[in-house]
Amino acid sequence: MAAVEEGPEPQVAGAGDAVRDATDAADAGPRAPSLLAGNRLSLDLYPEGCRWLQHLCAQQHPQLLEVEFLQLSGHEDPQLLEATLACVPWSLPHLRSLVLKGGQRRDALGACLPGSLTTLPSSLAGLAHLVHLDLSFNSLETLPDCVPQMHGLGALLLSHNRLSELPEALGGLPALTFLAVTHNRLQTLPTALGALSTLQRLDLSENLLDTLPPEIGGLSSLAELSLASNRLQSLPASLAGLRSLRLLILHSNLLTSVPAGLAHLPLLTRLDLRDNQLWDVPPELRDAPFVRLQGNPLGKALPDSCSPPGTPVVPEMPRLFLTSDLDSFPVTPQGCSVTLACGVRLQFPAGATAASVTIRYRLWLPEPRLVPLGPHDSLLSGVLELQPHGVAFQQEVGLWLLFVPPRVRRCREVVVRTLSDDGWSDLETRLEEEAPKRLWAHCQVPHFSWFLVVSRPVSNACLVPPEGTLLFSSGNPGIKVTFPPGATDEPRHVRMQVVHMADRELQALLGEPAAAVSPLLCLSQSGPSGFLRPVTVQLPLPPGITGLSLDRSRLHLLYQAPPTATWDDITAEVALELTHLYARFQVMHFSWYWLWYTTKTCVGGLARKAWARLRLHRVNLIALQRRRDPEQVLLQCLPRHKVDATLRRLLERYHGPEPSDTVEMFEGEKFFAAFERGLDVDADRPDCVEGRVCFVFYSHLKNVKEVSFYRGPVPEEVPEEAEAARQRRGADALWMATLPIKLPRLRGSEGLGRGAGLSLAPLNLGDAETGFLTQSNLLNVAGRLGPDWPAVALHLGLSYQELQRIRHEFRDDLDGQIRHMLFSWAERQAGQPGAVGRLVQALEQSDRRDVAQEVRAILELGCRKYQDGIRHTSLAPRDAAPPGASASQPPEPAQA
């Protein structure tokens, strides 16, 4: 969220206002002129800007009559904003420019948040002098009716809203010269758009347009037209009639042809046709210097529709979109494009497989045994398994993985990590941005295995030949490693990573304002551990330190040999050569190096603490109860900067205590949530370990769990760590936080309700391969639904009349209603394939993804036990085990 300067809250004049005392009146005098700077009134950066404007209007300040430019924030309360705007035409009659933009605030990931503006009061049509209106970065779904009535409007900015169409009345703005509607959801354009004879600039990029009306050729004054990033497949011939056009941007569409008349536009200086599907263009356009055609299949084989007679027809590549109940798909030598239900995309080129093959996939929850992370890495996605393992493709397969954008990108890069015969390795990865919060990691894979997306420090690598070479950091070119001739007798691979530490972090740790450190240099290599000749390493001096002014007694070169965490001071063991900006030294083998400048003497221990601080994340823990079903408790571990935004989103459905105090955790660290006073967690949960809920903290993923509480016997002795936490008797390394929750009331009946004839015959819901749901599992689901059960029932296919009958039969007994509905449906589904999938889908459609996720987890646990049972009876090979079956070893790739 963008920082906003704090200021005093203005008072709004009204019938119930108290009379301000003399001090307030004296303060109000000088503030009004400070807001009213000339003919401009900029309130978009002031908290409660609308209240300030109402205050000025209520005072009938004479300087308001001179205001021509008004700026307000679109993040104000919608009702307050509408009420404030309603008084603008009478208070600011000479207004010429009105800016109501959102986007000043940002979420935890740095993306702009839209404003709350959804409409405008009709009275704004009375702004007779208004020529400029900016409504960008808001939540408009339709254009307010007052806008087409502003006949003097010359510039209209509507970018970054949710508009799906524009009204025909927009063509009645006779003075409009600039119209921007980028980043919306426009699918069509009004035909009246062609009546804007004065329009000079039109920007419609980043929409969903697939056609243009022929009337667009009537824009006789149009000089700039941008239609980039739409879905246009063709252009109307009337575009060739835009005789004033100078700039035409059409890149990133689906165009297969362009009108030849575009080449004859007399004033055209730029025509951007990049990244389309153009197979051929008129020669006069192909050879024109102002035309850009990169990213088109020009000169390649023609598509079927354009193939000359006698050309063999090449079938179009199939496109598959898998639903959540499918975990496999076929691939033929023809190739195909596949989108999995989890959002992963795969592109199999023609000829990737010599014969038909069935591909299976599975998403694994990230666990330390499945996620190989370096000390400075961050996990950005779940773990995707693609089978069959190890089968080499004849052509590389394209893989797109959706991931959470990292908060910090400076000197870091995103890569796809995979498991091969040689262990875990990083693939060459390209990032593709679909939206501010939707990033894809794209890579080419030669065979299938496990894949995940990781953020790591920028890595630079090279192959060192016997003749020697130079390796430098792309993030900090001043960091260099020079290999002299003869340093190695055979080529070897070396890799460099650079990690930065903020000076304020170090100074807070040491309590020394003048302390500083260089970037941490991590060097590794393949082959023998040492070099035959000394290798020269160059590091920049710590910030603010120069070779002419430093005190050498305060300069320390530290060394660490992973996997140990000990830092040794080797300043006295090497010859440090200092220049004005750099320090150089020679080494015979690679490790990690760090240059410190401090008055402290025992630097090794401090370096160990500083290195831990580099990898620690400051987090808060929250425990919230669902408002409509207090027996459901949401537990979540959040990085500190995400807490406020998450709570604002959740507190409509949940309530609970304030978040815990800030604690520090490492990426991939495992921790547990335990409950006191006889509250039990369902032991069938896959993440239940000795009655505790197991978490693994990953800074960019959602560390959230839904827990159902069941009342059991109160233990005679409270667990030791809980007792220590509650009584605060000294430091306890196991305790992080205690959050109070309100115990749900005891149920009056433990039965299934008053339905006398309800049968509890053994369930047969599911199958042996995907797993069964038992009576206990279904009772657990019934206990979770609460008032949401009618929506689930309707999505399961029950009729409205049947819902009414259940409500009447079990009136005043919510548990009886839910259980009767669920068990009667389950009995009808017994033995039918896909029943469990329909239940999960109904839960998701009813906005109970928490229960759906738990059902999936139960099925996975049952399936895993089923596979283990088959293995124990020697009915399946050992390589069928899931990845990471051994907690101490990384998963081994199964062989086909």
Side-chain angles (χ1 to χ4, degrees):
M1 184 178 297
V4 178
E5 181 183 353
E6 294 293 338
E9 182 176 353
Q11 302 294 321
V12 181
D17 292 341
V19 178
R20 288 188 296 271
D21 57 21
T23 304
D24 290 338
D27 290 342
R31 285 178 184 150
S34 65
L35 295 174
L36 292 165
N39 60 353
R40 295 179 179 273
L41 183 55
S42 300
L43 299 174
D44 54 329
L45 297 180
Y46 285 85
E48 305 289 345
C50 283
R51 296 193 184 277
W52 277 114
L53 183 56
Q54 287 188 353
H55 172 64
L56 294 173
C57 294
Q59 285 187 330
Q60 297 182 354
H61 201 286
Q63 199 171 347
L64 287 178
L65 299 176
E66 303 175 9
V67 172
E68 296 182 353
F69 302 91
L70 172 63
Q71 288 182 295
L72 286 172
S73 172
H75 296 286
E76 300 273 5
D77 177 75
Q79 295 181 350
L80 176 63
L81 185 58
E82 185 173 2
T84 304
L85 292 174
C87 66
V88 166
W90 295 276
S91 302
L92 289 79
H94 298 98
L95 195 65
R96 294 176 53 82
S97 173
L98 177 58
V99 177
L100 300 171
K101 289 178 63 174
Q104 292 98 342
R105 300 178 181 177
R106 297 181 179 271
D107 62 12
L109 299 175
C112 293
L113 292 173
S116 57
L117 186 70
T118 58
T119 187
L120 293 176
S122 58
S123 59
L124 288 185
L127 292 171
H129 301 281
L130 194 69
V131 297
H132 176 267
L133 178 61
D134 188 350
L135 305 176
S136 305
F137 289 95
N138 278 294
S139 303
L140 295 174
E141 296 184 359
T142 58
L143 190 67
D145 293 337
C146 63
V147 174
Q149 302 176 37
M150 299 175 178
H151 298 298
L153 206 59
L156 177 59
L157 289 78
L158 302 168
S159 299
H160 293 273
N161 276 280
R162 302 170 185 173
L163 298 170
S164 57
E165 61 179 0
L166 296 174
E168 292 286 342
L170 192 65
L173 295 176
L176 194 66
T177 60
F178 176 47
L179 175 61
V181 203
T182 68
H183 290 85
N184 276 272
R185 304 170 184 175
L186 297 179
Q187 300 181 22
T188 59
L189 295 176
T191 57
L193 190 69
L196 298 174
S197 58
T198 60
L199 193 64
Q200 299 176 14
R201 297 169 58 196
L202 176 59
D203 192 347
L204 299 168
S205 57
E206 302 285 349
N207 278 285
L208 305 175
L209 298 171
D210 51 16
T211 59
L212 296 177
E215 289 78 4
I216 198 172
L219 299 174
S220 56
S221 302
L222 195 64
E224 298 180 12
L225 173 60
S226 178
L227 294 161
S229 299
N230 278 279
R231 300 177 179 178
L232 296 173
Q233 301 182 34
S234 61
L235 299 174
S238 60
L239 280 184
L242 300 176
R243 310 297 291 177
S244 301
L245 199 62
R246 299 177 180 271
L247 185 67
L248 179 56
I249 309 299
L250 294 165
H251 69 75
S252 305
N253 277 281
L254 303 174
L255 296 173
T256 57
S257 63
V258 293
L262 295 180
H264 305 295
L265 292 176
L267 303 179
L268 194 63
T269 59
R270 181 183 175 190
L271 175 58
D272 193 342
L273 295 169
R274 293 174 298 164
D275 298 317
N276 277 279
Q277 301 297 319
L278 295 172
W279 301 88
D280 193 15
V281 295
E284 52 268 42
L285 283 178
R286 182 192 294 266
D287 300 330
F290 57 84
V291 180
R292 299 185 180 183
L293 294 167
Q294 296 90 338
N296 285 283
L298 295 171
K300 298 183 179 180
L302 295 174
D304 299 341
S305 58
C306 303
S307 300
T311 302
V313 176
V314 179
E316 183 181 356
M317 179 179 291
R319 295 175 178 265
L320 303 179
F321 297 89
L322 269 62
T323 56
S324 57
D325 57 338
L326 296 177
D327 61 357
S328 63
F329 55 92
V331 176
T332 66
Q334 179 186 351
C336 63
S337 173
V338 184
T339 301
L340 308 183
C342 57
V344 175
R345 300 200 308 240
L346 294 160
Q347 181 85 29
F348 294 85
T353 60
S356 296
V357 61
T358 298
I359 305 297
R360 299 184 301 277
Y361 81 94
R362 181 175 180 182
L363 278 179
W364 294 85
L365 293 176
E367 300 178 14
R369 62 184 180 182
L370 290 178
V371 179
L373 294 179
H376 304 106
D377 295 346
S378 298
L379 181 66
L380 303 180
S381 74
V383 182
L384 173 69
E385 181 187 10
L386 293 172
Q387 296 180 341
H389 295 166
V391 174
F393 297 107
Q394 299 182 13
Q395 295 189 48
E396 290 187 334
V397 174
L399 173 64
W400 285 263
L401 292 171
L402 195 64
F403 68 93
V404 180
R407 181 169 178 246
V408 179
R409 302 190 188 185
R410 178 176 176 265
C411 298
R412 297 187 68 86
E413 60 187 352
V414 175
V415 295
V416 174
R417 187 161 293 172
T418 185
L419 180 67
S420 60
D421 295 336
D422 299 328
W424 291 95
S425 59
D426 295 341
L427 301 174
E428 184 177 346
T429 307
R430 187 180 66 184
L431 302 187
E432 299 179 3
E433 185 171 0
E434 184 175 286
K437 293 186 180 180
R438 289 180 65 87
L439 287 176
W440 298 90
H442 174 210
C443 62
Q444 300 293 123
V445 297
H447 56 80
F448 278 172
S449 179
W450 287 273
F451 302 90
L452 57 148
V453 184
V454 171
S455 170
R456 70 179 189 188
V458 172
S459 178
N460 299 104
C462 71
L463 182 67
V464 180
E467 296 81 14
T469 188
L470 173 67
L471 174 64
F472 65 92
S473 168
S474 58
N476 191 331
I479 300 178
K480 300 178 182 179
V481 180
T482 305
F483 301 88
T488 177
D489 55 2
E490 59 183 16
R492 68 174 72 180
H493 292 274
V494 297
R495 190 170 70 127
M496 166 196 298
Q497 285 185 312
V498 177
V499 181
H500 293 263
M501 182 175 190
D503 287 341
R504 61 180 181 274
E505 292 269 358
L506 178 71
Q507 292 162 5
L509 178 66
L510 302 183
E512 182 183 354
V517 294
S518 72
L520 168 60
L521 175 61
C522 308
L523 297 172
S524 59
Q525 61 172 332
S526 63
S529 59
F531 293 97
L532 301 179
R533 295 188 60 189
V535 174
T536 302
V537 178
Q538 175 179 291
L539 279 176
L541 291 174
I545 309 301
T546 64
L548 301 179
S549 60
L550 64 79
D551 181 356
R552 290 189 71 112
S553 64
R554 298 173 58 181
L555 192 65
H556 302 268
L557 179 62
L558 303 178
Y559 155 90
Q560 184 199 63
T564 64
T566 303
W567 287 90
D568 297 321
D569 190 343
I570 60 171
T571 312
E573 303 172 20
V574 299
L576 271 178
E577 176 190 349
L578 301 180
T579 68
H580 184 63
L581 298 176
Y582 302 102
R584 298 189 183 98
F585 55 94
Q586 293 185 329
V587 298
M588 293 297 293
H589 60 275
F590 274 176
S591 187
W592 292 5
Y593 301 96
W594 212 354
L595 205 57
W596 279 50
Y597 192 75
T598 175
T599 57
K600 307 292 183 181
T601 53
C602 300
V603 185
L606 296 173
R608 182 173 182 173
K609 293 182 180 179
W611 183 55
R613 181 68 62 86
L614 274 174
R615 300 175 294 126
L616 281 170
H617 298 270
R618 293 174 174 84
V619 303
N620 299 92
L621 308 172
I622 62 174
L624 302 175
Q625 290 175 272
R626 195 176 181 94
R627 291 184 183 273
R628 291 188 297 175
D629 189 5
E631 292 186 354
Q632 314 308 317
V633 175
L634 179 142
L635 306 175
Q636 193 163 5
C637 177
L638 289 164
R640 186 171 59 182
H641 66 277
K642 294 184 179 180
V643 172
D644 291 341
T646 302
L647 288 178
R648 281 196 300 269
R649 188 177 67 252
L650 291 176
L651 287 181
E652 292 182 1
R653 294 174 292 150
Y654 295 86
H655 65 89
E658 292 293 320
S660 71
D661 293 334
T662 300
V663 295
E664 294 182 331
M665 301 190 71
F666 291 102
E667 183 85 2
E669 182 176 350
K670 182 177 289 188
F671 66 102
F672 300 89
F675 302 94
E676 307 174 23
R677 300 186 185 277
L679 291 177
D680 296 332
V681 181
D682 186 1
D684 288 339
R685 289 176 61 109
D687 56 358
C688 181
V689 180
E690 298 179 355
R692 302 179 298 174
V693 180
C694 177
F695 286 75
V696 181
F697 173 72
Y698 293 107
S699 56
H700 289 80
L701 303 185
K702 288 186 177 180
N703 308 286
V704 58
K705 298 289 177 70
E706 285 273 355
V707 182
S708 297
F709 290 146
Y710 301 90
R711 188 173 295 277
V714 178
E716 296 180 1
E717 295 182 359
V718 178
E720 181 179 350
E721 60 264 31
E723 182 69 21
R726 196 164 55 242
Q727 298 183 6
R728 302 293 198 277
R729 297 181 305 194
D732 189 337
L734 297 179
W735 174 81
M736 290 192 297
T738 297
L739 297 173
I741 57 174
K742 185 178 180 180
L743 294 180
R745 62 181 177 85
L746 288 171
R747 299 288 186 185
S749 171
E750 297 298 330
L752 291 177
R754 296 183 305 206
L758 185 59
S759 171
L760 280 181
L763 287 176
N764 187 24
L765 203 61
D767 56 69
E769 292 295 331
T770 60
F772 290 99
L773 285 183
T774 64
Q775 289 182 9
S776 175
N777 300 144
L778 213 57
L779 280 171
N780 184 22
V781 172
R784 301 284 307 275
L785 293 183
D788 294 329
W789 77 269
V792 177
L794 291 173
H795 285 116
L796 284 174
L798 276 71
S799 65
Y800 184 75
Q801 291 76 13
E802 191 171 0
L803 259 66
Q804 293 294 84
R805 181 183 60 79
I806 294 174
R807 282 193 175 115
H808 177 74
E809 184 176 353
F810 295 90
R811 53 190 176 277
D812 301 324
D813 183 5
L814 179 62
D815 287 344
Q817 296 173 6
I818 300 171
R819 292 169 180 169
H820 188 92
M821 178 276 295
L822 205 55
F823 274 86
S824 60
W825 172 83
E827 286 184 341
R828 293 196 296 268
Q829 302 298 316
Q832 297 186 21
V836 177
R838 287 192 290 275
L839 175 60
V840 172
Q841 185 178 7
L843 291 168
E844 291 179 335
Q845 292 172 340
S846 306
D847 198 25
R848 291 308 304 265
R849 294 179 178 83
D850 52 333
V851 186
Q853 183 177 1
E854 187 167 323
V855 172
R856 286 198 184 95
I858 292 172
L859 293 174
E860 289 180 4
L861 178 63
C863 187
R864 198 175 307 157
K865 291 180 178 178
Y866 172 75
Q867 295 289 347
D868 290 343
I870 291 179
R871 274 201 308 277
H872 292 158
T873 55
S874 302
L875 296 178
R878 291 293 298 172
D879 60 4
S886 171
S888 60
Q889 299 292 333
E892 296 292 337
Q895 301 297 323

